[in-house]
């Protein structure tokens, strides 16, 4: 069997397993099945030795669609939340960043993980950026990558477990979706809204490729779309099928980022890595309890997703399938995103240099 045919068979098998897992997870009312199903299926294939990878264009396109979804949710209510509670949002965002830095520093100092791996592996921000920065500082990029992507997967699982444990209903309820699923998937928004959404997503993709900054695929549609929609110039509306495909692409990207070589190389450090990531998730969960008390109307799952140490894309995907306050989650994630962009790489670099000077 030649390599092209083998790759085609693997992709077909992955799609079949993905559909089966999404159907099974949806049948038992698991939130964010469209993210979790592809992620679990892709992890199975990645660690079993499959060499397929999601083409970069699909990943960038999915990020652009998620950016449009974020922009859709930014409205007067979200701006009012930021205006009324900006001190709390900034304070908790800084607390999350400091928690990650302190935990990474402590683990590095204790010698749990080699070199400065823990600092980069636990630092919030774009996983790919942290892996590249870690490589520049001589940290093992494979272990850092495993920590970063494990954190995304575990954060998604933790959010789903929180949703199930406190009885949060899906939105809409699964039994209502079953009767109208086909018509919902094929629903198209008005032509003007569809054109505005696809044009904005295309602009994000084009600029991210031209400038070689993958993160722009998410940020440009999110920020530009929010500004244009707030000004009343456009109205964004993403077709459900397109959103579902974007969710699936994000899940596959995370899942296929794992591989057998990475796991074998990191096998001895795997238990400590797992403890470090889970500790970070638990600390953010405890922080979310205080967040829940300070902000009126914030339920536990909303507070958890608002302070989730995973990416904003995963938080949005989970939030869109559960009955939570999306404006509050986005407000918190946006504020933290700005702080992370401005400060996380610099803080991680500073800590890494301190540890290098301490242990030359």
């Amino acid at each position: 069997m030649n390599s092209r045919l083998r790759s085609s068979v693997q992709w077909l098998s992955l799609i079949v397993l993905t559909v089966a897992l999404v159907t099974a997870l949806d049948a038992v009312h698991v939130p964010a099945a469209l993210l979790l199903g592809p992620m679990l299926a892709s992890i199975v294939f990645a660690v079993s030795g499959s060499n397929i990878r999601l083409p970069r264009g699909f990943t960038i396109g999915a990020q652009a669609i998620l950016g449009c979804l974020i922009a859709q949710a930014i409205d007067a209510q979200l701006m009012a939340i930021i205006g009324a509670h900006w001190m709390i949002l900034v304070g908790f965002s800084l607390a999350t960043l400091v928690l990650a830095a302190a935990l990474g520093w402590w683990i590095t100092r204790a010698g749990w993980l080699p070199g400065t791996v823990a600092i980069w592996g636990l630092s919030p921000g774009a996983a790919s950026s942290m892996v590249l920065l870690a490589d520049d500082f001589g940290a093992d990029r494979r272990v850092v990558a495993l920590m970063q992507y494990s954190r995304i997967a575990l954060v998604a699982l933790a959010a789903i477990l929180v949703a199930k444990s406190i009885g949060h209903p899906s939105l809409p309820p699964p039994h209502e979706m079953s009767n109208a699923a086909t018509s919902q998937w094929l629903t198209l928004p008005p032509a003007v809204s569809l054109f505005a959404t696809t044009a904005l997503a295309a602009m994000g993709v084009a600029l991210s490729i031209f400038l070689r900054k993958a993160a722009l695929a998410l940020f440009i549609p999110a920020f530009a779309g929010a500004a244009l929609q707030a000004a009343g110039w456009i109205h964004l509306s993403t077709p459900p099928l397109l959103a579902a495909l974007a969710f699936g692409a994000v899940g596959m990207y995370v899942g296929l980022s794992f591989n057998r070589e990475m796991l074998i190389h990191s096998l001895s450090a795997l238990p400590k890595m797992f403890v470090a990531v889970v500790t970070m998730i638990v600390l953010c969960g405890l922080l979310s309890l205080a967040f829940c008390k300070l902000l009126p109307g914030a339920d536990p799952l909303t507070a958890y997703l608002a302070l989730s140490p995973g990416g904003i894309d995963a938080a949005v995907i989970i939030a869109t399938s559960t009955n939570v306050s999306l404006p509050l989650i986005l407000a918190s994630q946006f504020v933290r995103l700005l702080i992370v962009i401005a400060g996380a790489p610099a803080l991680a670099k500073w800590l890494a240099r301190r540890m290098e000077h301490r242990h030359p």
Side-chain angles (χ1 to χ4, degrees), residues 34-35 38 54 58-67 69 238-253 313 317:
L34 290 169
L35 170 71
L54 192 67
F58 283 89
T59 306
I60 292 174
Q63 292 292 319
I65 297 303
L66 290 177
L69 283 170
T238 306
L241 182 58
L242 192 59
L245 292 174
F247 296 170
V250 171
M252 283 189 177
Y253 169 72
D313 46 5
I317 292 171

Side-chain angles (χ1 to χ4, degrees), residues 40-322:
L40 292 176
S42 299
I43 289 173
V44 169
F45 269 74
V47 301
S48 65
S50 172
N51 58 359
I52 58 175
R53 292 293 178 268
L54 192 67
R56 186 167 178 262
F58 283 89
T59 306
I60 292 174
Q63 292 292 319
I65 297 303
L66 290 177
C68 291
L69 283 170
I70 291 169
Q72 278 178 226
I74 297 176
D75 52 17
Q77 184 183 1
L78 183 139
M79 300 310 296
I81 289 172
I82 294 178
H85 306 293
W86 68 269
M87 290 185 67
I88 294 176
L89 296 175
V90 170
F92 276 92
S93 296
L94 287 172
T96 305
L97 186 60
V98 170
L99 263 181
L103 183 61
W105 176 83
W106 182 82
I107 290 173
T108 301
R109 187 178 182 186
W112 267 32
L113 294 171
T116 56
V117 159
I119 293 173
W120 302 105
L122 291 175
S123 180
S128 55
S129 298
M130 289 302 168
V131 171
L132 292 175
L133 284 169
D135 199 31
D136 290 341
F137 273 76
D140 193 323
R141 68 192 310 269
R142 289 170 294 184
V143 182
V144 173
L146 186 58
M147 282 191 77
Q148 283 283 345
Y149 294 117
S150 296
R151 190 187 67 195
I152 296 171
L154 288 171
V155 164
L157 286 170
I160 290 166
L161 289 173
V162 171
K164 295 295 287 184
S165 65
I166 63 178
H168 253 273
S170 297
L171 188 63
H175 66 273
E176 292 181 11
M177 288 180 65
S178 61
N179 296 326
T182 303
S183 61
Q184 285 183 358
W185 290 128
L186 300 179
T187 299
L188 289 176
V192 175
S193 296
L194 179 60
F195 175 78
T197 304
T198 53
L200 190 64
M203 182 177 70
V205 170
L207 286 174
S208 69
I209 293 174
F210 179 73
L211 297 174
R212 297 182 179 180
K213 297 286 185 181
L216 292 179
L218 175 73
F219 297 154
I220 289 174
F223 288 106
L228 292 171
Q229 190 165 251
W233 292 356
I234 62 172
H235 177 70
L236 300 174
S237 184
T238 306
L241 182 58
L242 192 59
L245 292 174
F247 296 170
V250 171
M252 283 189 177
Y253 169 72
V254 173
L256 292 174
S257 297
F258 295 86
N259 59 62
R260 184 184 292 176
E261 180 199 356
M262 184 191 294
L263 287 174
I264 292 174
H265 176 78
S266 309
L267 198 59
S268 60
L270 206 57
K272 294 175 181 177
M273 286 169 51
F274 181 80
V275 170
V277 172
V278 170
T279 301
M280 181 65 197
I281 292 172
V282 170
L283 289 174
C284 286
L286 294 174
L287 201 61
S288 70
L289 295 177
F291 186 83
C292 187
K293 296 293 184 182
L294 288 173
L295 277 178
D299 59 88
L301 183 57
T302 294
Y304 176 79
L305 290 174
L307 299 182
S308 165
I312 188 173
D313 46 5
V316 169
I317 292 171
I318 297 167
T320 53
S321 64
T322 47

